[in-house]
Amino acid sequence: KNITSRSRDALNVIRTVVNSKFSNIKTYGDNVNGISIGGPCSLENVTFEHLWYGALQQEIYVGKMLEPKNYRGTVLNLLSVTGDVTFKDINADAVRQGILLRGDAKVTVDGFKGNSVLQKLSISPESNLILNEEE
């Protein structure tokens, strides 16, 4: 818990993860992705909660908010994911994509709040997303 990051991905999961909880994740303006899961990855009983994408350096975003073409990154970049994963309390500001989901995982997102998100969702047909209790 209590992860603060300036790296490309605040969290990058590339292997199997089970029975885990990640909480209080904060990014700076340098991140491309908040949470990136690529793989193929298998997740079982995994929760990510309290993610703030771009919330610590608001002054960086003032110019970007005026120029949406300059937005970059994805809050939840979930590629080749299988299994069951939950995200709670996700906050994003000035980002290109909110949730990118590919794979046959059951993904639950409870509490996604985005300010200035160009494309909120990009979901493949085989994916199962429950967003704020709606499938």
Side-chain angles (χ1 to χ4, degrees):
K1 64 183 180 176
N2 300 327
I3 299 164
T4 303
S5 175
R6 275 202 140 100
S7 66
R8 183 180 186 281
D9 307 309
L11 281 174
N12 184 11
V13 179
I14 58 172
R15 297 282 186 252
T16 299
V17 179
V18 297
N19 302 326
S20 299
K21 182 178 183 179
F22 301 86
S23 64
N24 297 329
I25 305 156
K26 297 179 183 180
T27 71
Y28 285 91
D30 303 333
N31 302 89
V32 174
N33 299 304
I35 296 173
S36 180
I37 300 175
C41 286
S42 177
L43 304 173
E44 292 299 331
N45 190 30
V46 177
T47 300
F48 297 88
E49 63 181 10
H50 311 303
L51 167 66
W52 291 272
Y53 183 97
L56 294 179
Q57 291 189 354
Q58 291 299 324
E59 67 276 6
I60 289 175
Y61 293 105
V62 171
K64 285 186 180 180
M65 290 179 84
L66 300 175
E67 295 289 335
K69 67 178 193 240
N70 294 329
Y71 290 1
R72 66 180 207 155
T74 303
V75 180
L76 302 177
N77 189 2
L78 314 173
L79 302 174
S80 300
V81 181
T82 63
D84 184 9
V85 61
T86 301
F87 297 90
K88 296 179 181 178
D89 188 28
I90 307 298
N91 299 278
D93 197 10
V95 65
R96 183 169 298 281
Q97 285 189 309
I99 301 170
L100 173 63
L101 175 58
R102 304 286 182 262
D104 62 358
K106 177 185 175 195
V107 175
T108 303
V109 180
D110 184 18
F112 183 92
K113 296 172 205 100
N115 181 33
S116 300
V117 178
L118 287 182
Q119 181 181 17
K120 187 173 182 181
L121 301 172
S122 178
I123 311 299
S124 68
E126 73 275 6
S127 299
N128 181 12
L129 174 69
I130 300 170
L131 179 61
N132 298 325
E133 299 184 19
E134 297 178 14
E135 288 195 49

